[in-house]
Amino acid sequence: MTVRCFKINPADNVATLLADADIGPVEVRGGGERTTSITLSSPIELGHKVALTNIAGGEAVIKFGVPIGTASQPISPGQWVHLHNCRSNFDARSGSLDLHTGATTDTKYD
Amino acid sequence: MTDPLNLAWSGYLRDDGRKGVRNTVLIIYTVECACHVAHAIANGEDGVHVIGFPGCYDNQYAIRLILSLARHPNVGAVLAVGLGCEYTQPAKIADVALKSGRPAASFFIQDVGGTRSSVERGKAILADLRRTIDRDTPRAAMGFGDLTIGCECGGSDGTSGFVGNPVVGTFFDRLIDNGGTAICEEIVEMIGLKDIILDRAATPQARTQLEFAYDKAVRYCQQVRQYSVSPGNFAGGLTTIEEKSMGAFAKSGSQPIQGVIKVGQQPPWAGLWIMDSVPDDHFMGFGYTNPNDTEGIMDLISGGSQVVMFVTGRGSVIGSPVAPLIKVTGNSRTFERMAEDMDFDAGRVLAGQISLDGAATELGEMVASVASGQPSKPEALGHREYFVMYKHQDEPTQKRDCKK
């Protein structure tokens, strides 16, 4: 278990991956707490987020100790948190973007 | 270890007391029709940069921006080139530069002849300007207290808010402790953080300015239905504008915010400043806030930044005219892949190879080295991207030298 993720603030319910990680356990550091571990339910890339707790639909996703969005569906610990299950409280378009590339799906090219 | 913030080097003293880290001749064209000739004049010349405004109709915001670059501390002389039928007046730009103590000249291409004759005329003027400033520009010792440094982030990923921006923020804290000035822009990348930003205000006036600028930015993004977050940001792990904002705001460090300045405006006193580049309410309401990274970097230079930091997790291959750009990445993979373009690898903090403070110290050493004349990577590669757009901003009201 060499891959780590980092929890920035004790109040956070997500942590950020410090390297690409496959399904399985990764170390959780930071948050001013002792090192724990979380089991990823899907591969997650460097810089992306993993849920550390159950987050109910409609509940705030917390990173840096502040709400960075709202869960658009229930999220379980170990799940990848991104466009498919977390929406912005400002930017309505973000929910329609391609999950992997972030490209828009509502712009016509032809 | 010596504190790099005690370092001093030799700069170029301007009549207004500001000091430059370069002695550049700036060619300014006043309409797209003069663009080719302006670049042909600069072609093959050292220390000559080109900026220009594409529109035939003039725009007060764009003129303020151009004039702030014509009087920038890194600029020693100005050549303004127009076609001849446009609204923006090259002679008036040259006049403003002359009044600021800089040698300057201007001409209309239609008066001189065609392409070749205008390029010849321009090259002859350039040689004259260069000779004059090489001979006449006084040199002066300068240090971090004389520096204004802007920071922009672009192509952000999950590492930018983690280490890339915090390394710059830590450096900015020390820059300000040493009497320097830092400018952060991108109010549209503070969305979602209203209380956090307002709590950083140095004074009640600064708080009022920040609240006004924040509310305007939210209103503007809602109106144009466009937020400052891109496909590359999402692919890099950022899910929402709020998340990107929190990471972007980390570049401001922890010092109190003195107030809000607008594009083309110098910070009235030292310390940390936020630049508002969002259009003001206007009957036409056109002009996106920061259509690309280059536009944001131009804004920071217009505030008098002699050096600009660009934090990019995904990687970037842009540079800037007038003020050297230092490219910082928090992603070591990006640094390795794009080593020819990236100046600073803050990803070493994530890997545990260096502390945040240690990285900020190294960054300070790099800034001192670039300020003393060592070209940054984009500068050495010849990157001089510029972007001057139509935008509406009301006349700035804050005056220089009237602290509190």
Side-chain angles (χ1 to χ4, degrees):
Chain A
M1 194 167 68
T2 53
V3 177
R4 288 174 300 168
C5 64
F6 196 85
K7 178 179 174 179
I8 296 171
N9 187 286
D12 291 356
N13 53 18
V14 294
T16 305
L17 271 291
L18 301 184
D20 294 348
D22 276 326
I23 292 172
V26 299
E27 216 176 87
V28 185
R29 292 208 186 168
E33 297 155 15
R34 64 182 177 79
T35 302
T36 55
S37 121
I38 184 93
T39 302
L40 308 194
S41 52
S42 69
I44 304 182
E45 286 179 33
L46 162 72
H48 284 248
K49 296 172 291 301
V50 57
L52 298 174
T53 63
N54 275 306
I55 308 171
E59 207 180 304
V61 174
I62 312 278
K63 182 182 169 185
F64 305 101
V66 300
I68 60 155
T70 301
S72 53
Q73 51 176 271
I75 305 173
S76 345
Q79 238 185 303
W80 178 30
V81 178
H82 203 37
L83 302 165
H84 57 304
N85 53 18
C86 173
R87 60 175 165 75
S88 167
N89 294 320
F90 291 84
D91 179 6
R93 200 183 190 189
S94 66
S96 72
L97 302 171
D98 181 273
L99 177 59
H100 295 278
T101 64
T104 57
T105 55
D106 57 0
T107 307
K108 291 187 178 69
Y109 286 87
D110 202 5
Chain B
M1 189 168 37
T2 329
D3 184 351
L5 293 172
N6 291 328
L7 293 171
W9 57 90
S10 175
Y12 300 90
L13 183 63
R14 307 301 174 194
D15 283 7
D16 64 1
R18 289 190 290 166
K19 296 168 187 171
V21 301
R22 298 287 184 272
N23 206 19
T24 303
V25 179
L26 186 62
I27 300 181
I28 299 168
Y29 63 86
T30 47
V31 64
E32 191 65 13
C33 319
C35 172
H36 175 87
V37 166
H39 281 279
I41 295 169
N43 192 24
E45 308 281 349
D46 283 335
V48 178
H49 297 178
V50 179
I51 62 163
F53 180 65
C56 182
Y57 284 98
D58 60 0
N59 176 253
Q60 195 60 61
Y61 160 91
I63 287 175
R64 272 201 301 271
L65 175 61
I66 285 172
L67 293 180
S68 68
L69 296 188
R71 290 180 288 203
H72 189 282
N74 289 355
V75 170
V78 170
L79 168 60
V81 181
L83 173 64
C85 10
E86 68 271 32
Y87 278 81
T88 305
Q89 294 300 304
K92 291 197 172 173
I93 294 171
D95 250 10
V96 168
L98 278 169
K99 283 200 188 96
S100 76
R102 288 166 176 81
S106 70
F107 65 85
F108 279 129
I109 294 166
Q110 288 169 347
D111 292 342
V112 171
T115 301
R116 282 203 188 93
S117 41
S118 297
V119 172
E120 251 171 53
R121 166 77 69 91
K123 291 229 178 238
I125 294 172
L126 265 193
D128 194 38
L129 292 173
R130 173 52 67 192
R131 242 189 333 267
T132 307
I133 60 174
D134 282 354
R135 189 187 59 214
D136 296 345
T137 311
R139 303 300 297 258
M142 73 184 286
F144 280 85
D146 300 306
L147 280 182
T148 298
I149 301 184
C151 182
E152 161 100 359
C153 59
S156 298
D157 67 4
T159 69
S160 298
F162 230 13
V163 284
N165 288 321
V167 166
V168 173
T170 307
F171 165 69
F172 273 178
D173 282 353
R174 293 203 217 152
L175 170 71
I176 290 162
D177 281 340
N178 282 270
T181 299
I183 309 176
C184 293
E185 205 225 2
E186 304 173 302
I187 288 212
V188 288
E189 289 176 16
M190 297 178 192
I191 283 176
L193 312 179
K194 185 169 183 176
D195 294 341
I196 293 170
I197 296 158
L198 297 191
D199 285 348
R200 290 274 301 279
T203 61
Q205 291 96 311
R207 194 180 168 91
T208 307
Q209 290 171 10
L210 283 166
E211 185 164 25
F212 181 82
Y214 178 88
D215 289 343
K216 186 182 81 170
V218 171
R219 200 162 59 239
Y220 197 86
C221 289
Q222 282 166 345
Q223 272 170 8
V224 300
R225 301 175 69 210
Q226 185 74 255
Y227 292 80
S228 187
V229 55
S230 75
N233 300 148
F234 296 119
L238 299 175
T239 305
T240 63
I241 179 64
E242 298 95 303
E243 181 180 12
K244 182 176 174 183
S245 293
M246 202 55 203
F249 194 60
K251 71 165 97 70
S252 70
S254 60
Q255 299 272 4
I257 297 169
Q258 301 296 323
V260 177
I261 52 172
K262 285 190 160 178
V263 175
Q265 199 185 1
Q266 318 297 314
W269 57 85
L272 175 66
W273 290 83
I274 301 298
M275 179 178 274
D276 171 17
S277 57
V278 177
D280 287 324
D281 293 328
H282 190 56
F283 70 101
M284 285 178 83
F286 58 63
Y288 183 55
T289 59
N290 292 126
N292 54 48
D293 293 328
T294 292
E295 198 266 351
I297 290 166
M298 295 285 287
D299 291 347
L300 291 167
I301 300 172
S302 82
S305 306
Q306 296 108 321
V307 176
V308 176
M309 308 268 186
F310 184 53
V311 181
T312 170
R314 309 278 293 169
S316 166
V317 292
I318 59 168
S320 48
V322 178
L325 191 67
I326 294 178
K327 292 230 268 295
V328 176
T329 182
N331 188 328
S332 295
R333 256 189 332 214
T334 298
F335 187 81
E336 281 157 31
R337 197 170 54 239
M338 304 181 77
E340 54 181 318
D341 287 272
M342 295 295 137
D343 291 288
F344 193 85
D345 179 14
R348 291 171 298 151
V349 177
L350 278 185
Q353 293 161 359
I354 189 169
S355 68
L356 193 64
D357 273 339
T361 300
E362 273 191 21
L363 187 59
E365 286 164 351
M366 184 176 280
V367 169
S369 152
V370 168
S372 64
Q374 179 68 33
S376 70
K377 283 191 179 171
E379 195 180 8
L381 285 165
H383 281 288
R384 306 283 185 266
E385 287 84 344
Y386 59 92
F387 194 85
V388 183
M389 64 186 281
Y390 281 107
K391 194 185 272 190
H392 172 77
Q393 275 202 332
D394 297 330
E395 191 84 30
T397 50
Q398 202 154 71
K399 295 283 182 281
R400 254 174 99 77
D401 301 323
C402 55
K403 180 163 186 172
K404 290 158 203 171

